[in-house]
C-alpha cells in the first residue's frame, strides 16, 4: 500500500482557512528541503535546482477542526497523500479516456458524422466531465481520509 499511498507527519504554518479547508505552508525541517548553496560551480544566483528562489510547498488539508484555528499558527499533522505518479495518471487519464470512449461511440454508431459540430461538442463535453469526475473523487478521498492534527496549534 506504500506504493499507492504515503503517510507522514508534517509541521507547517497555517497560511489560509476557508471553511473546513486549511492551507498550510510546510516548514523547512519537515519538508525535506535541501539548502541552496550559492558557491556551486558556475552558478552566480544560487544553485541550479532552485535558482536562488525560495520554494515553499503548500498543502491543502480538509479537517473538521479548521474553524478553531487561526492564520500564522504552527501545527503538526499526519498527512496522507496518494502517489504522485498515480495522481498524474488519474489527472490526465480520466478526461482522456472519457473523451476516447465518446469518440469510439461516435465511430461505431455514426462514423460519417465524426467531424460534425455535435460530435466535437460531445467529445469536448466528455473531456470536461472527466475533470468533474476527478474533482468529485478528490473531494470524496479528502473527506474519507482527512488529515489528523497531532499537536495543538502554537501561536508564534
Amino acid at each position: 500500500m506504500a506504493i499507492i499511498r504515503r503517510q507522514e507527519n508534517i509541521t507547517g504554518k497555517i497560511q489560509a482557512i476557508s471553511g473546513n479547508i486549511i492551507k498550510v505552508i510546510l516548514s523547512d525541517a519537515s519538508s525535506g528541503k535541501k539548502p541552496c548553496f550559492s558557491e556551486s560551480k558556475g552558478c552566480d544566483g544560487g544553485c541550479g535546482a532552485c535558482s536562488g528562489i525560495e520554494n515553499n510547498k503548500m498543502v491543502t488539508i480538509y479537517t473538521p477542526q479548521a474553524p478553531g484555528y487561526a492564520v500564522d499558527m504552527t501545527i503538526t499533522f499526519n498527512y496522507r497523500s496518494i502517489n504522485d505518479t498515480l495522481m498524474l495518471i488519474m489527472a490526465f487519464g480520466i478526461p482522456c479516456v472519457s473523451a476516447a470512449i465518446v469518440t469510439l461511440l461516435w465511430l461505431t454508431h455514426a462514423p460519417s458524422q465524426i467531424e460534425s459540430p455535435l460530435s466535437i461538442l460531445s467529445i469536448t463535453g466528455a473531456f470536461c466531465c472527466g475533470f468533474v469526475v476527478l474533482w468529485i473523487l478528490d473531494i470524496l478521498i479528502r473527506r474519507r481520509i482527512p488529515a489528523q492534527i497531532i499537536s495543538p496549534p502554537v501561536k508564534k
Side-chain angles (χ1 to χ4, degrees):
M1 201 66 174
I3 294 172
I4 296 173
R5 191 174 65 187
R6 236 183 1 194
Q7 181 174 342
E8 54 191 332
N9 294 337
I10 299 175
T11 302
K13 189 168 134 182
I14 298 175
Q15 180 71 23
I17 299 173
S18 174
N20 288 340
I21 306 283
I22 298 177
K23 292 186 179 182
V24 180
I25 291 182
L26 305 182
S27 66
D28 293 340
S30 66
S31 65
K33 189 164 82 172
K34 295 178 181 173
C36 184
F37 300 108
S38 62
E39 64 263 4
S40 61
K41 198 176 216 178
C43 187
D44 297 333
C47 67
C50 66
S51 299
I53 299 170
E54 181 101 10
N55 229 355
N56 290 331
K57 184 177 178 187
M58 183 179 289
V59 175
T60 304
I61 60 172
Y62 170 83
T63 179
Q65 301 113 343
Y69 298 121
V71 177
D72 290 335
M73 288 183 166
T74 302
I75 60 170
T76 301
F77 57 97
N78 189 344
Y79 184 69
R80 296 175 187 100
S81 62
I82 296 177
N83 187 347
D84 294 336
T85 306
L86 182 63
M87 287 303 296
L88 186 68
I89 290 170
M90 285 174 56
F92 287 107
I94 291 175
C96 290
V97 166
S98 63
I101 289 171
V102 172
T103 305
L104 289 175
L105 286 173
W106 273 100
L107 283 173
T108 57
H109 293 296
S112 62
Q113 296 180 349
I114 190 70
E115 293 179 1
S116 69
L118 182 61
S119 70
I120 293 173
L121 185 65
S122 63
I123 292 167
T124 305
F127 186 76
C128 293
C129 286
F131 286 113
V132 171
V133 168
L134 195 62
W135 176 63
I136 291 170
L137 280 174
D138 180 50
I139 290 173
L140 291 175
I141 290 172
R142 195 178 298 185
R143 290 192 178 168
R144 175 121 178 147
I145 310 170
Q148 297 172 342
I149 297 176
I150 298 171
S151 70
V154 178
K155 182 76 175 166
K156 287 195 175 182

